[in-house]
Every structure is written in structure tokens, then in C-alpha cells.
């Protein structure tokens, strides 16, 4: 950037000099200055592919998406001698995804990965686009392509975790037209299986069992079976030992479930002999919430 700055803006500079200067600025993440130089080039040659490319890139990184879309339209439809790369389609995909044009974004991401099949990270972007439009089947399929493209040592628990989240999303989505009860159950069971593996692989982390609790709670929406109870109990014990306010929201979720579980148990005829103990247990958990959040309306009401 410093070297180009000495001459690229001068009277003897060529279009190619300006392109190289603007691109160096872009690679240096000086998006405003890169855009300024690219726009100088566009004033001289409005159909120049590289200047329009850089305008699209910079507007996208600056989150000026409407202007980025205009630049993209010119770049892909009107430019002279445009030689498109995977990066062009990737940026166009990012732009369209930011504008919530998810199907269009997927088309561009697919063009990018077709142009450079080594860029398997793009399957994550495809998965994300599908997830944002609640098409979990396609999101899971795309994520599977990304995950299986990795070497075994790179298939880490944090990447597995996304599988669990996608299955959980499929099992808890509200649109009953896209998934039936059996598919919902299968998705939640798959989520539970993934989170179980994560809990075993990372026993010092609460996240595996915390999401197991959520998956099992969704499998037992009336809380009649208490499927999530052992997992919320385990998470609560672990987080209490950390004594860190950072985990307060997770603890409140644990205590809310457990307080509600014991509240229902009070009224269960089969547990009549334990009603007093269950009432005390329920009060204990709601009180723990109020100790963290004295204004918590649910805990007060319970």
C-alpha cells in the first residue's frame, strides 16, 4: 500500500496501477480507501471488471449492501472482459445472504465451490443459508458435505455441535407442513445422540449435556416423563461449582425446568406420598432463580 501510494494516484498512473493499489488496500482491510480508489477508476471506465469487482467486495465488507448489489449487477452483467473467480461468487453469495436472498445465495455459493472444489468451507455457507430459511434437511445435507471433506483429526466436537444444533432446529421448528411428528422425533433423537457424543468427548464443558437437556425436553413437551431432568441436574451441579455469573442464564434455564418438573409432581396422584418433598424441591429451585434474578416473574408466580 505504501509503495503504490507514492505513484498510483499520480498523473502517470495507469488503470492497472489503480487496480493494484485498490486491491492492496482491500487486502489490508482498508475498505473505505480501497473503495475510494476503485470509484476513481470507475469514473474513468465504468465497465472495468476489476474496479466493479472491488466495489462489490468493499461495499459488502462495509455492509453497504444496497450499493454492493448495484455494483454486483454491473460486474456480472455489464463488464468488459470479466474473468470470474470462486471469490467473486463467494462474495456475491455473502452479499445475497446478508440481504436474506437465501436461495440466490446458495446458487452463487454452489458456483464458487464448482469453480474451486477445494473450497469445501463454502458448504458451511450453503448450510447456513438453508438454516436461515428453516430448510433443515438441506442445511444438514450441506453441512454433512463440509464435515466429511475434513480429515478425521479436524472433525472436532465443536464442528459436531453444529450437527446437533441443526437436528435440534429440525425437531423444534414450528412449521408442521415441512416436518411430521415422526420426523420431528427422529431429528430430536439424532440431536440427542450428537450432544451425547460431545458430552463424552468434552466432559469439562456443560454444553453437551445442556443441549441434551433441551433435546429431551422437546421430546417430552408436557414434562410428564422428565426426560431432560438428569441432564439439567448434571449441568446445574457443574455450573454451580464454577461460581461464575457468566453461567447465570444457563442456570436459570436448568432451575426453571427442575422447578416446573417438581411442581407437576406435586399434583401427580402416583406420587401423592412424596407431594410434600416435591413441593419443597420445587420451591428450592424457584428460590435459586430469585437469588440470581430477584425480579424473575416466572419464579415469583411459581
Amino acid at each position: 500500500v505504501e509503495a503504490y501510494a507514492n505513484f498510483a494516484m499520480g498523473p502517470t498512473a495507469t488503470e492497472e496501477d489503480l487496480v493494484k493499489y485498490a486491491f492492496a488496500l482491500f487486502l489490508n482491510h482498508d475498505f473505505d480507501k480501497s473503495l475510494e480508489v476503485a470509484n476513481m477508476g470507475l469514473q474513468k471506465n465504468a465497465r472495468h471488471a476489476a474496479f466493479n469487482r472491488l466495489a462489490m467486495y468493499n461495499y459488502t465488507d462495509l455492509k453497504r449492501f444496497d450499493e454492493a448489489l448495484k455494483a454486483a449487477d454491473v460486474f456480472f452483467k455489464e463488464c468488459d472482459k470479466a474473468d470470474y473467480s470462486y471469490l467473486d461468487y463467494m462474495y456475491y453469495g455473502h452479499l445475497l445472504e446478508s440481504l436474506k436472498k437465501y436461495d440466490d445465495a446458495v446458487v452463487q455459493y454452489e458456483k464458487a465451490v464448482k469453480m474451486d472444489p477445494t473450497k469445501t468451507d463454502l458448504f458451511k455457507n450453503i448450510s447456513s443459508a438453508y438454516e436461515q430459511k428453516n430448510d433443515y434437511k438441506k442445511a444438514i445435507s450441506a453441512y454433512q458435505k463440509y464435515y466429511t471433506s475434513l480429515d478425521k483429526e479436524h472433525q472436532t466436537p465443536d464442528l459436531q455441535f453444529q450437527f446437533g444444533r441443526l437436528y435440534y432446529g429440525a425437531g423444534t421448528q414450528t412449521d408442521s407442513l415441512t416436518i411430521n411428528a415422526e420426523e420431528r422425533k427422529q431429528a430430536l433423537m439424532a440431536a440427542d445422540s450428537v450432544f451425547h457424543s460431545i458430552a463424552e468427548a468434552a466432559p469439562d464443558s456443560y454444553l453437551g449435556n445442556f443441549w441434551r437437556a433441551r433435546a429431551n425436553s422437546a421430546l417430552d413437551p408436557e414434562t410428564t416423563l422428565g426426560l431432560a431432568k438428569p441432564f439439567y441436574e448434571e449441568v446445574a451441579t457443574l455450573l454451580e461449582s464454577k461460581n461464575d455469573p457468566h453461567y447465570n442464564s444457563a442456570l436459570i434455564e436448568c432451575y426453571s425446568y427442575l422447578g416446573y418438573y417438581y411442581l407437576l409432581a406435586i399434583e401427580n396422584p402416583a406420587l401423592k406420598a412424596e407431594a410434600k418433598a416435591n413441593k419443597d424441591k420445587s420451591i428450592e429451585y424457584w428460590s435459586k432463580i430469585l437469588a440470581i434474578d430477584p425480579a424473575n416473574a416466572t419464579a415469583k408466580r411459581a
Side-chain angles (χ1 to χ4, degrees):
V1 166
E2 288 175 9
Y4 280 121
N6 291 325
F7 74 91
M9 306 286 271
T12 61
T14 65
E15 281 187 348
E16 190 61 25
D17 294 331
L18 276 181
V19 168
K20 289 180 178 178
Y21 183 37
F23 200 67
L25 287 161
F26 167 76
L27 292 174
N28 212 34
H29 288 199
D30 190 346
F31 303 125
D32 284 305
K33 184 66 176 175
S34 177
L35 180 61
E36 179 190 327
V37 176
N39 281 334
M40 283 179 58
L42 288 172
Q43 286 171 9
K44 296 179 181 179
N45 184 352
R47 293 161 63 98
H48 193 288
F51 291 131
N52 279 290
R53 167 186 284 122
L54 282 163
M56 178 181 74
Y57 287 6
N58 284 303
Y59 279 130
T60 300
D61 281 321
L62 290 166
K63 302 190 187 309
R64 292 164 63 176
F65 299 127
D66 289 339
E67 291 160 294
L69 192 60
K70 289 176 184 174
D73 282 342
V74 175
F75 177 55
F76 285 107
K77 295 174 184 174
E78 299 176 21
C79 279
D80 299 322
K81 301 176 184 175
D83 185 15
Y84 302 123
S85 71
Y86 93 91
L87 199 62
D88 297 331
Y89 295 121
M90 185 191 81
Y91 255 91
Y92 197 18
H94 290 338
L95 168 60
L96 292 166
E97 188 176 356
S98 298
L99 290 167
K100 301 184 178 179
K101 299 174 182 284
Y102 300 122
D103 288 327
D104 293 338
V106 166
V107 170
Q108 300 307 318
Y109 288 140
E110 287 177 339
K111 285 181 182 178
V113 80
K114 186 176 181 180
M115 183 160 274
D116 187 346
T118 68
K119 306 296 183 183
T120 55
D121 271 15
L122 288 169
F123 286 119
K124 269 198 303 186
N125 297 99
I126 294 170
S127 177
S128 172
Y130 279 129
E131 181 185 4
Q132 290 178 90
K133 66 188 291 270
N134 293 327
D135 190 337
Y136 285 98
K137 285 182 181 177
K138 288 182 179 176
I140 291 165
S141 175
Y143 195 79
Q144 182 75 45
K145 288 178 183 176
Y146 162 67
Y147 189 77
T148 55
S149 74
L150 301 172
D151 297 330
K152 285 289 182 186
E153 62 267 25
H154 293 123
Q155 294 177 349
T156 54
D158 59 314
L159 296 183
Q160 279 184 295
F161 183 79
Q162 177 64 1
F163 266 126
R165 276 191 65 258
L166 289 170
Y167 281 122
Y168 178 79
T172 56
Q173 63 179 299
T174 54
D175 186 358
S176 59
L177 295 177
T178 59
I179 186 169
N180 60 39
E182 183 56 32
E183 287 177 317
R184 194 181 298 277
K185 180 181 176 183
Q186 291 301 320
L188 288 168
M189 288 173 68
D192 177 62
S193 177
V194 171
F195 295 134
H196 183 196
S197 297
I198 290 168
E200 289 187 331
D204 293 335
S205 170
Y206 77 98
L207 286 171
N209 280 320
F210 188 61
W211 280 85
R212 277 200 89 183
R214 287 179 167 178
N216 279 277
S217 180
L219 281 164
D220 177 27
E222 303 299 322
T223 321
T224 50
L225 303 174
L227 296 182
K229 179 174 175 284
F231 308 114
Y232 275 127
E233 286 175 334
E234 193 165 336
V235 172
T237 300
L238 176 62
L239 295 185
E240 285 169 350
S241 71
K242 293 181 183 292
N243 194 27
D244 183 344
H246 176 73
Y247 299 113
N248 280 353
S249 63
L251 274 171
I252 287 174
E253 182 175 328
C254 295
Y255 295 153
S256 296
Y257 177 91
L258 294 166
Y260 184 65
Y261 171 82
Y262 283 108
L263 189 66
L264 292 181
I266 298 167
E267 303 299 326
N268 189 334
L271 301 173
K272 194 170 183 181
E274 302 163 38
K276 170 73 168 65
N278 286 332
K279 182 179 180 181
D280 291 343
K281 201 75 177 166
S282 182
I283 290 171
E284 177 191 334
Y285 283 115
W286 298 117
S287 298
K288 284 184 175 185
I289 292 175
L290 293 172
I292 296 171
D293 176 15
N296 189 287
T298 304
K300 281 182 175 181
R301 189 164 64 249

